[in-house]
Amino acid sequence: MNGLLFITHQTERYTFLQSAEMALEGGCRRIQLRMKGATPGEVETAGRLAKERCERYGAELYIDDHVAVCKTIRATGVHLGKADMPPREARQRLGEGFIIGGTANTFEDIRRLDGEGVDYIGLGPFRFTATKENLSPFIGLSGYRRMMRQCGEQGIRLPVFAIGGIAPDDIPGLLSAGVSGIALSSAILRARDPVAETGRIIALLSKKSGRNAFHNVS
């Protein structure tokens, strides 16, 4: 399994669902439906359609923020931002049959999320990204190296996904820093051929890392 998590985004050219469809066609098998500002009803409607597409490709669907929607449509899991429902509460509502991810900007966030029982972490931002508002300070490659080293020193084995303004050329360095995978949106959607770009990124990830990014590594 590759280490790519595609995050949906609506642009002037593509809808949320079209962006997911292209990533799936290109070979991505993990989609996060992210629809900031949408109502729970809108997210549920889109989530059901996205789940149908994911099932067609044998892919996993993660819902951003909306725990109830995740449970209702039986998505693979939910991703929780720092201002969303606490992971422990989400686990109580979802049970053990769902994957829960959390957003981190610092090592202190990683340590807290590890204690709260998340299954993976989205760590960022790597650099500026126009797809997210109210950005935390950029981490940069040296920051990822430092925090992944701290994880090793403190025995934290959670898979970590780098996120935030990442370009394909950044992937080798980030994987070398120790992250398990990469979360992307704009790098794919701004490409001339998003489907082909997805395939190119997956090939790069597969060449550099053979780990299953959503399972703890020994």
Side-chain angles (χ1 to χ4, degrees):
M1 298 174 70
N2 65 70
L4 174 64
L5 173 64
F6 176 76
I7 300 176
T8 65
H9 184 59
Q10 184 163 278
T11 70
E12 294 180 355
R13 298 174 64 190
Y14 309 118
T15 65
F16 293 110
L17 289 174
Q18 286 172 334
S19 72
E21 184 80 46
M22 290 185 296
L24 289 165
E25 187 177 345
C28 182
R29 295 298 176 258
R30 297 185 184 94
I31 304 293
Q32 182 189 126
L33 181 64
R34 184 175 187 268
M35 298 175 61
K36 292 297 185 184
T39 67
E42 291 170 336
V43 175
E44 181 176 338
T45 297
R48 292 185 184 279
L49 294 171
K51 188 182 178 187
E52 290 176 2
R53 287 160 171 78
C54 286
E55 289 175 343
R56 191 187 314 150
Y57 286 92
E60 300 171 346
L61 176 66
Y62 298 82
I63 305 297
D64 187 61
D65 298 349
H66 295 269
V67 173
V69 172
C70 173
K71 185 173 184 178
T72 298
I73 70 172
R74 301 296 299 179
T76 303
V78 66
H79 185 88
L80 301 172
K82 295 173 77 172
D84 297 327
M85 183 183 295
R88 282 201 181 96
E89 182 179 348
R91 181 62 70 199
Q92 291 174 349
R93 297 194 183 193
L94 292 173
E96 296 299 325
F98 296 83
I99 290 174
I100 296 176
T103 294
N105 308 122
T106 65
F107 180 70
E108 288 69 29
D109 292 336
I110 294 174
R111 187 162 48 192
R112 172 180 54 80
L113 289 168
D114 182 50
E116 292 180 2
V118 301
D119 298 296
Y120 76 93
I121 285 174
L123 176 62
F126 176 66
R127 64 163 65 89
F128 175 79
T129 173
T131 62
K132 191 167 185 179
E133 299 178 355
N134 303 318
L135 281 176
S136 296
F138 309 146
I139 294 175
L141 188 56
S142 62
Y144 280 94
R145 288 174 177 152
R146 182 183 69 256
M147 282 188 262
M148 296 311 299
R149 183 174 63 250
Q150 288 174 297
C151 285
E153 291 170 351
Q154 298 202 19
I156 297 174
R157 309 295 292 174
L158 283 174
V160 173
F161 272 61
I163 185 171
I166 297 169
D169 289 346
D170 300 316
I171 291 174
L174 285 165
L175 292 177
S176 295
V179 301
S180 301
I182 307 294
L184 292 177
S185 182
S186 296
I188 288 173
L189 297 180
R190 289 175 180 169
R192 180 175 299 179
D193 185 340
V195 173
E197 185 68 3
T198 301
R200 186 173 80 87
I201 290 168
I202 288 172
L204 179 59
L205 284 163
S206 299
K207 181 179 179 181
K208 295 293 181 181
S209 175
R211 290 180 295 179
N212 177 350
F214 275 122
H215 291 79
N216 290 343
V217 293
S218 58

